[in-house]
Amino acid sequence: MEFLVAIGTRIVGKIAEFTVAPVIRQVGYVIHYNKNLKKLESQVDDLGAARESMKRAVETEERKGREIKAGVQNWLTKVDEMTKEANDFLKDEPAETRCLRGFCPNLKLRHHRCRKSTKLVQEVAELCGKNDFGDIAYDVKPEEVCSIPAKDYQAFDSRTSVAKEIMNELRKSDTDIIGVYGIGGVGKTTLAKEVYRQATEDKTLFDDVVIVQDVKKIPDLDGIQKRIAEKLGMNFLGDETTDKRASRLFSRIKKKKVLVILDDIQEKIDLEIVGVPRVSNCKVLLTSRTRKVLSGEMRTQKEFQLDLLDAEENWSLFEKMAGDVVQNPAIRKVATEVAQKCGGLPVLVVTVGSALKNRTTLHAWKDALRRQKKFEKEGFTEKAYLALEWSYEQLDDEELKPLFLLSGIMRDESINLLDLLKYSMGLGLIKNVDTMEEAQDALHSLVEKLKDSCLLLEDSDSKKYVRMHDLVHEVVNRIALRDQHVFKVAIGDEFKEWPTKDFCTKCTMVILDNCSIPHLPEGLEYPELKMFTFCSSDFDHCLEIPRNFFEGMKKLKVLDFTNLSIPTLPPSLQFLKSLQTLCLDACTLGDLALVGELRNLEMLSFLKSKFRKLPEEIGQLTRLRLLDLNGCSQLEVISPNVISNLKRLEYLRMGDSFNRWEGEGVISSERRNANLEELKHLPQLTVLQIHIPDGNILPADLFTTSKLERFQICIGSAWKWDNVDEALNALKLRLTASNELDQGLRMLLKRTEDLYLEGTEGVNNSIVYQIGAEGFQKLKHLHLQTNAEFTYIINGKVRYPNLTWLAVNELNGLTFLLSSSMARSLAQLKHLQVSGCQIMEEIVSIEESDEEIVDNFFCQLQILELKDLPNLTKFCSRNHTELSKPSCGIQHFLFDNKVEFPNLKKLSIDGLPKLTRIWNNQLSRESTKNLETIEIVSCDNLKSIFPVSVVRNLQQLKRLIVKCCGAQEIVAKEESLQTTPKFVFPKVTEVIFSDM
């Protein structure tokens, strides 16, 4: 009997499991209808916050030049799709969910919608939990500047033939290491760059080509390893040993065909320790001044001598540098002799020719010839030195010679123009200027004159730097030692001992550049010393400075310690009554109160240093004109009234630095930090870099009476400093409901060149209209985000004649970005970015009255980036009827024959799900002939990437990336073609097809 009861109980339980529980669940869908909807809304909000966080992280990585991982892009696309589906579901609640005026719910419809919402809640929660990607981006291999032929490069036969021989040798399977040698200034670096360019263009020869210039200036093998790795797109960890890095580098190199060019070596380099193996797939090209280093120490298999220019080449180059004046019959004969005396050494031809450029008097040419003849008895290197020294003597401006010598003395590598300003002002080299702005203008003018004389050169990496040819550097060091009694330990040189007492009594400068010194001696006597700089090769090297170290340097004007850890400053620092410039850059610093004793100080720099507090004693430096706190990210306290006491301050640089400003309401006795009102007490301020996280503490009329000439100002917590362009007047504003646009800000807006605007909900529209009504004649870059009202700024009555970059993000509520009249007015636009605009259907809307063909839109555009635009179907349409047609069966393509981009170099399309085609077959060839990079990501409905007509025109293409697209074919088939065409892309270096 018990057995039967047990069976019955189980049967009843199963019946309940399969009947009662499902019934309860189905009834629950009806009962918990509103609860589920609210839960879905909450989950969607959480997903939106995660999306915004990820998008900001993506933008940060993209600004760093890193490539975003495909998984991250896919996640963002899925988030957009899921968010749209959930929002559409929440928005479209049918009226039938309630009946009888809402008193009786429609149970069937509620049940259906609640089941759907429960499923959406689960899917949203699952997607929200998949956003932990770790590192979301990866480094891409940087492109060398020298891959582009230099505009002043002259392909002489003697150089072309050597380059051809080198390329032929590199093609041989049994060759793995070769070299080029020749005297300094003969053109080895120029030849190495040309080989790099040719090897890069020949895709069949090498997968990767790396060039490291000025190897002799790199102090150790670690530095060479890092340079090679960087150029291969690799990252080394700080704690990795040399052996570990070498192993990783070897593993990277052995997988592909690689050419490594090491330019200007002066001693043996153990390539195996570096991680560059002598294997068949890795070839090495070295350049050096002597064949012995190549064949004897590096065991090169073949060496090529780079000889002097022949007579015809020598004259051709000299004629180019000296200018049309040599065509004057009265001068030509003497000019020909002067050119001959240069002996075919390119660096001499260039500098001597430049020194005589447009000298129209025969006397100047005869004097130059007489000086050149005096050098004839000397050896060739000495002759070159003397000729370069003669070029130096031709500098007729009294400020040029000392500035030129300072440029060569202060650094063996690239010369930072801001450092040059700080040093030259401290030494009093720039004459007849009253302000820092006048000094900066004068400095740049003098630098341009030195460039015109070819004694200084453009830096390939940045306009903030200049550089100097090696041979010219050697001449500078020679002159400095002889005439200025300069003691210098350069990069790569070993510090052996301090100079003799006799030398110290005459010494005017001590330059210790990127070297290691265990300690500083006591009791040094340098009665004539004007400048002392020490840049440690060991970062954050702890340096104990003897208490009396500065007692014997009473005439010191410039003092610079870099890359050091200085716990305490010595008491003898207060003896430096003549000190004008003090730089404690990239240092870890302790107590700085003693700096306040340097009452004559005019330049004070703590660039990228680590310290917590700027003490009140700094406020005693009432003669200070420049205070550089850029990059002092650990600075938390600036004592009250320090800034306001610096009445003569002209330059205040605080980018990526202190931002803990106190508000106006803090009682004076309770203040612990600086406030913004103090800036009003700086009547001479002309340059300002500052971040104010809270716009609500901005004092009224802070900038109304200012004399700012150059500025980079961020107002609002959303902004970061890493993408601020210091070359432009930049203003970043995060507008809130409480913001007001006072006269000072309006004044800055009119002079802003780089403008960022972000708007929160509730922003006073009148502020937007005020901004839109301002004149923007100087604006070059405009970035707008998160407020649809900002469209008034770009589609109002104001025009932007100099705008080169327009970026908009999350301007929701817009169906188009630009009117056709505004688009046509942006004649200088080179970079257009549009992202996150959810209902945008087109970029340019053609006005009905505008019947003109739109082939003159964006003629200068070089970069076009379209991202996360789920409803975008066309770049522009003739009118809105094109967009309003039913989408069923219609192929949406971006570009047709109405739009031409003759200068477009990069096209990036990411997250445009409605596209079926990008180009149509009738597109003008002008739009694609210059394209170098094409990136297409997350365009799910694409049928194909290119029509045949576009592919044939991509002769400049270097990078093609297609990811996460539904494309069935890369090149669309055309019925008219009987055979499958073949395509050749002669310049392609990277092709990626992923998740197709």
Side-chain angles (χ1 to χ4, degrees):
M1 188 68 179
E2 292 179 1
F3 173 70
L4 293 174
V5 171
I7 292 175
T9 302
R10 290 175 186 170
I11 292 172
V12 171
K14 286 294 181 182
I15 292 172
E17 180 181 344
F18 290 106
T19 58
V20 178
V23 168
I24 292 173
R25 184 166 61 249
Q26 300 303 322
V27 172
Y29 287 136
V30 176
I31 296 173
H32 300 299
Y33 175 71
N34 291 324
K35 182 179 178 181
N36 274 4
L37 289 185
K38 289 181 180 179
K39 187 174 182 180
L40 178 60
E41 288 176 350
S42 175
Q43 292 277 24
V44 170
D45 288 342
D46 291 344
L47 185 61
R51 174 185 179 274
E52 288 308 304
S53 177
M54 182 64 72
K55 284 195 70 176
R56 291 193 186 282
V58 165
E59 290 168 0
T60 298
E61 295 297 337
E62 286 179 336
R63 285 195 294 267
K64 296 176 182 176
R66 304 184 77 206
E67 193 77 20
I68 305 302
K69 291 180 178 177
V72 176
Q73 302 284 17
N74 290 343
W75 184 83
L76 286 170
T77 300
K78 290 176 181 176
V79 167
D80 288 339
E81 293 170 353
M82 180 59 66
T83 302
K84 183 177 186 304
E85 183 181 356
N87 285 333
D88 289 347
F89 174 82
L90 291 168
K91 259 191 302 187
D92 300 334
E93 182 175 7
E96 292 83 1
T97 54
R98 293 178 176 272
C99 58
L100 297 177
R101 299 184 182 180
F103 291 106
C104 180
N106 185 323
L107 299 182
K108 181 179 178 181
L109 192 53
R110 276 196 164 209
H111 175 267
H112 171 73
R113 284 181 56 79
C114 196
R115 287 189 65 181
K116 174 70 172 175
S117 66
T118 301
K119 181 184 176 184
L120 285 174
V121 165
Q122 293 172 348
E123 291 176 352
V124 170
E126 183 181 349
L127 191 56
C128 198
K130 290 183 177 180
N131 69 335
D132 186 8
F133 295 95
D135 192 359
I136 66 171
Y138 57 92
D139 293 317
V140 293
K141 179 185 172 185
E143 184 177 2
E144 290 282 353
V145 175
C146 56
S147 63
I148 304 169
K151 61 182 180 181
D152 56 350
Y153 174 72
Q154 287 191 268
F156 293 121
D157 289 343
S158 61
R159 272 59 187 152
T160 303
S161 61
V162 175
K164 185 176 181 181
E165 288 181 46
I166 292 172
M167 292 300 297
N168 289 337
E169 191 67 29
L170 291 172
R171 289 186 176 92
K172 296 179 180 179
S173 59
D174 58 347
T175 295
D176 55 54
I177 182 168
I178 59 177
V180 176
Y181 67 96
I183 63 171
V186 79
K188 298 184 295 297
T189 298
T190 303
L191 178 66
K193 291 178 180 178
E194 178 62 17
V195 171
Y196 173 89
R197 189 182 67 80
Q198 291 186 26
T200 303
E201 289 184 351
D202 188 345
K203 303 304 173 189
T204 63
L205 191 54
F206 298 106
D207 298 312
D208 290 306
V209 183
V210 170
I211 182 170
V212 181
Q213 300 179 52
D214 294 329
V215 172
K216 74 170 185 291
K217 294 179 181 177
I218 303 174
D220 50 35
L221 294 181
D222 288 355
I224 298 173
Q225 275 185 331
K226 290 175 183 176
R227 298 281 181 92
I228 295 173
E230 285 171 4
K231 293 171 186 292
L232 287 171
M234 297 175 63
N235 280 327
F236 283 154
L237 301 176
D239 58 351
E240 284 184 309
T241 64
T242 302
D243 290 343
K244 177 67 174 177
R245 288 196 293 262
S247 177
R248 287 184 58 205
L249 196 54
F250 172 69
S251 297
R252 168 69 171 80
I253 287 174
K254 72 179 182 180
K255 296 176 182 176
K256 294 187 177 183
K257 296 182 291 183
V258 178
L259 171 62
V260 177
I261 303 173
L262 301 179
D263 173 48
D264 202 5
I265 67 171
Q266 63 179 5
E267 60 187 3
K268 182 180 179 180
I269 296 173
D270 194 324
L271 294 177
E272 287 193 10
I273 293 178
V274 171
V276 179
R278 293 189 72 158
V279 291
S280 59
N281 64 298
C282 178
K283 300 183 186 294
V284 178
L285 172 63
L286 308 171
T287 76
S288 180
R289 289 192 183 184
T290 66
R291 187 172 189 174
K292 179 182 177 183
V293 171
L294 299 176
S295 61
E297 299 184 20
M298 296 302 299
R299 303 292 183 186
T300 49
Q301 295 163 292
K302 187 166 184 177
E303 302 80 40
F304 299 88
Q305 181 178 6
L306 191 60
D307 213 337
L308 301 169
L309 300 174
D310 63 31
E312 184 178 343
E313 294 170 338
N314 185 82
W315 171 250
S316 175
L317 183 57
F318 185 87
E319 187 178 34
K320 178 182 177 181
M321 304 313 299
D324 294 338
V325 67
V326 298
Q327 304 302 327
N328 184 335
I331 290 176
R332 188 176 181 85
K333 183 175 182 300
V334 181
T336 304
E337 290 188 66
V338 172
Q340 290 172 350
K341 299 300 178 186
C342 293
L345 186 65
V347 70
L348 274 188
V349 177
V350 168
T351 52
V352 173
S354 298
L356 291 166
K357 187 169 186 175
N358 298 325
R359 294 285 182 94
T360 56
T361 65
L362 185 60
H363 299 295
W365 285 89
K366 284 184 174 181
D367 181 63
L369 180 60
R370 179 180 61 81
R371 298 289 186 95
Q372 297 276 57
K373 286 180 177 179
K374 282 188 175 183
F375 308 151
E376 287 182 342
K377 296 179 181 180
E378 306 290 344
F380 196 86
T381 301
E382 181 64 19
K383 181 178 171 181
Y385 284 167
L386 292 170
L388 288 172
E389 195 168 330
W390 172 83
S391 296
Y392 156 73
E393 290 171 356
Q394 299 312 297
L395 300 173
D396 51 8
D397 192 314
E398 64 172 322
E399 295 170 302
L400 279 177
K401 287 183 180 179
L403 185 68
F404 168 66
L405 291 179
L406 177 62
S407 301
I409 291 167
M410 60 184 271
R411 290 285 184 273
D412 279 347
E413 293 184 312
S414 296
I415 303 156
N416 186 304
L417 290 175
L418 182 58
D419 286 344
L420 190 58
L421 177 67
K422 294 172 184 177
Y423 293 169
S424 58
M425 287 295 286
L427 294 170
L429 302 186
I430 302 178
K431 311 293 184 182
N432 303 315
V433 293
D434 297 321
T435 67
M436 289 291 295
E437 279 298 283
E438 290 178 3
Q440 172 129 320
D441 291 341
L443 176 70
H444 281 272
S445 176
L446 293 170
V447 166
E448 288 303 314
K449 289 180 182 178
L450 290 172
K451 287 181 186 176
D452 292 342
S453 301
C454 292
L455 294 172
L456 285 181
L457 306 171
E458 293 280 358
D459 187 86
S460 58
D461 295 328
S462 173
K463 293 182 179 180
K464 298 177 184 178
Y465 295 84
V466 290
R467 60 187 181 87
M468 189 176 282
H469 190 280
D470 287 350
L471 209 62
V472 180
H473 249 305
E474 292 165 17
V475 171
V476 168
N477 289 333
R478 171 170 152 155
I479 296 171
L481 178 62
R482 183 191 67 208
D483 298 347
Q484 307 290 331
H485 304 287
V486 173
F487 174 67
K488 180 174 180 179
V489 181
I491 295 175
D493 292 345
E494 180 184 357
F495 180 85
K496 296 178 181 178
E497 59 183 357
W498 291 91
T500 63
K501 185 176 180 180
D502 181 57
F503 185 87
C504 289
T505 59
K506 301 174 184 176
C507 182
T508 61
M509 294 185 185
V510 172
I511 311 294
L512 309 174
D513 189 11
N514 216 336
C515 61
S516 180
I517 298 176
H519 62 274
L520 295 175
E522 296 192 28
L524 289 179
E525 289 290 333
Y526 285 91
E528 301 300 322
L529 194 67
K530 302 292 193 305
M531 180 171 170
F532 186 104
T533 72
F534 176 22
C535 177
S536 174
S537 59
D538 304 321
F539 183 75
D540 217 17
H541 168 62
C542 189
L543 181 70
E544 186 174 343
I545 306 173
R547 293 174 58 84
N548 63 348
F549 183 74
F550 295 113
E551 286 186 9
M553 307 178 186
K554 291 185 172 59
K555 291 186 179 181
L556 194 67
K557 291 187 174 183
V558 174
L559 175 61
D560 185 342
F561 284 140
T562 300
N563 283 353
L564 295 166
S565 177
I566 307 175
T568 58
L569 295 169
S572 58
L573 187 70
Q574 60 189 317
F575 287 99
L576 302 180
K577 302 300 183 184
S578 299
L579 196 67
Q580 303 284 298
T581 296
L582 174 61
C583 300
L584 300 173
D585 295 340
C587 292
T588 300
L589 303 170
D591 187 5
L592 295 169
L594 200 58
V595 174
E597 299 299 319
L598 303 172
R599 302 300 172 82
N600 289 312
L601 203 63
E602 296 191 358
M603 313 281 142
L604 178 57
S605 176
F606 296 108
L607 182 67
K608 295 183 180 179
S609 284
K610 299 176 184 177
F611 62 104
R612 180 180 169 276
K613 180 179 180 180
L614 193 70
E616 61 185 21
E617 287 82 359
I618 299 298
Q620 300 170 12
L621 304 177
T622 56
R623 297 175 62 86
L624 204 63
R625 303 172 71 180
L626 178 148
L627 177 59
D628 195 342
L629 297 170
N630 264 9
C632 298
S633 56
Q634 297 183 14
L635 181 58
E636 298 178 353
V637 178
I638 296 180
S639 299
N641 302 319
V642 167
I643 292 177
S644 57
N645 282 341
L646 306 177
K647 307 294 186 186
R648 296 185 61 183
L649 200 65
E650 299 177 51
Y651 281 26
L652 178 57
R653 293 164 44 88
M654 302 175 71
D656 192 23
S657 183
F658 174 83
N659 61 15
R660 301 192 176 194
W661 303 98
E662 289 191 354
E664 292 182 84
V666 181
I667 301 173
S668 180
S669 60
E670 297 179 359
R671 281 181 57 201
R672 296 292 181 268
N673 234 326
N675 70 22
L676 293 166
E677 284 283 347
E678 295 188 42
L679 297 179
K680 292 184 177 181
H681 298 273
L682 306 178
Q684 308 302 321
L685 195 67
T686 56
V687 173
L688 177 64
Q689 294 174 331
I690 191 172
H691 183 194
I692 306 167
D694 185 0
N696 294 318
I697 68 170
L698 198 68
D701 299 323
L702 177 61
F703 304 111
T704 301
T705 60
S706 71
K707 298 179 180 179
L708 292 180
E709 296 289 336
R710 289 181 288 122
F711 53 87
Q712 289 86 42
I713 300 171
C714 296
I715 301 176
S717 58
W719 303 118
K720 304 297 181 185
W721 199 267
D722 55 2
N723 61 343
V724 172
D725 188 345
E726 292 188 15
L728 301 175
N729 280 341
L731 188 59
K732 292 188 172 188
L733 292 176
R734 187 173 191 265
L735 301 177
T736 66
S738 59
N739 284 139
E740 292 184 7
L741 203 62
D742 62 27
Q743 181 182 347
L745 280 174
R746 288 200 298 270
M747 178 191 71
L748 292 183
L749 279 168
K750 291 180 180 180
R751 295 175 38 237
T752 295
E753 298 166 292
D754 188 7
L755 177 61
Y756 290 72
L757 290 175
E758 180 181 22
T760 59
E761 291 186 13
V763 170
N764 188 340
N765 288 343
S766 65
I767 297 177
V768 176
Y769 296 137
Q770 284 182 56
I771 293 174
E774 296 295 332
F776 286 106
Q777 299 302 304
K778 295 187 177 183
L779 196 64
K780 296 179 180 179
H781 299 171
L782 177 59
H783 312 254
L784 304 173
Q785 62 188 51
T786 63
N787 193 312
E789 293 294 332
F790 286 156
T791 187
Y792 177 79
I793 295 173
I794 48 178
N795 279 315
K797 297 179 180 180
V798 176
R799 290 296 181 258
Y800 305 88
N802 295 305
L803 196 70
T804 61
W805 189 341
L806 174 60
V808 299
N809 180 37
E810 297 183 8
L811 299 193
N812 294 318
L814 301 183
T815 56
F816 69 91
L817 177 63
L818 299 167
S819 65
S820 54
S821 57
M822 175 55 76
R824 188 169 289 110
S825 73
L826 299 177
Q828 302 303 317
L829 196 68
K830 294 182 179 179
H831 192 161
L832 176 60
Q833 286 177 291
V834 186
S835 63
C837 302
Q838 296 302 306
I839 69 169
M840 186 171 290
E841 299 175 354
E842 58 182 339
I843 303 300
V844 179
S845 177
I846 309 298
E847 291 134 332
E848 292 185 7
S849 61
D850 193 348
E851 294 299 324
E852 186 177 342
I853 303 254
V854 296
D855 58 0
N856 58 346
F857 282 176
F858 309 130
C859 293
Q860 302 301 318
L861 194 68
Q862 296 179 8
I863 300 174
L864 175 60
E865 297 175 288
L866 305 174
K867 185 173 182 181
D868 296 333
L869 304 169
N871 284 291
L872 193 77
T873 58
K874 282 183 172 290
F875 188 83
C876 69
S877 59
R878 176 59 59 184
N879 54 55
H880 287 290
T881 60
E882 292 187 26
L883 296 171
S884 60
K885 293 177 182 177
S887 60
C888 181
I890 291 182
Q891 292 190 343
H892 295 298
F893 51 85
L894 271 183
F895 308 118
D896 56 17
N897 60 340
K898 299 173 190 172
V899 183
E900 288 187 0
F901 303 121
N903 289 295
L904 193 66
K905 293 184 177 181
K906 177 181 178 181
L907 174 64
S908 178
I909 301 172
D910 184 349
L912 275 65
K914 286 193 175 182
L915 285 185
T916 56
R917 289 194 299 168
I918 297 171
W919 294 278
N920 76 352
N921 289 326
Q922 300 176 2
L923 187 74
S924 166
R925 292 186 61 191
E926 292 296 306
S927 286
T928 56
K929 68 177 184 178
N930 290 310
L931 267 173
E932 297 176 357
T933 298
I934 299 175
E935 298 173 351
I936 304 171
V937 180
S938 298
C939 297
D940 298 338
N941 285 311
L942 274 182
K943 305 303 181 187
S944 62
I945 306 301
F946 306 108
V948 172
S949 57
V950 169
V951 177
R952 285 173 173 161
N953 202 34
L954 298 175
Q955 297 301 300
Q956 302 301 317
L957 190 67
K958 296 180 181 178
R959 297 178 70 236
L960 173 61
I961 299 173
V962 182
K963 297 180 180 178
C964 308
C965 293
Q968 300 169 1
E969 53 189 0
I970 302 301
V971 180
K973 294 178 181 178
E974 292 186 9
E975 296 180 1
S976 60
L977 295 176
Q978 300 299 319
T979 60
T980 303
K982 294 183 178 179
F983 305 103
V984 177
F985 305 110
K987 296 187 177 181
V988 164
T989 61
E990 182 181 11
V991 176
I992 297 176
F993 295 120
S994 173
D995 296 331
M996 299 291 288

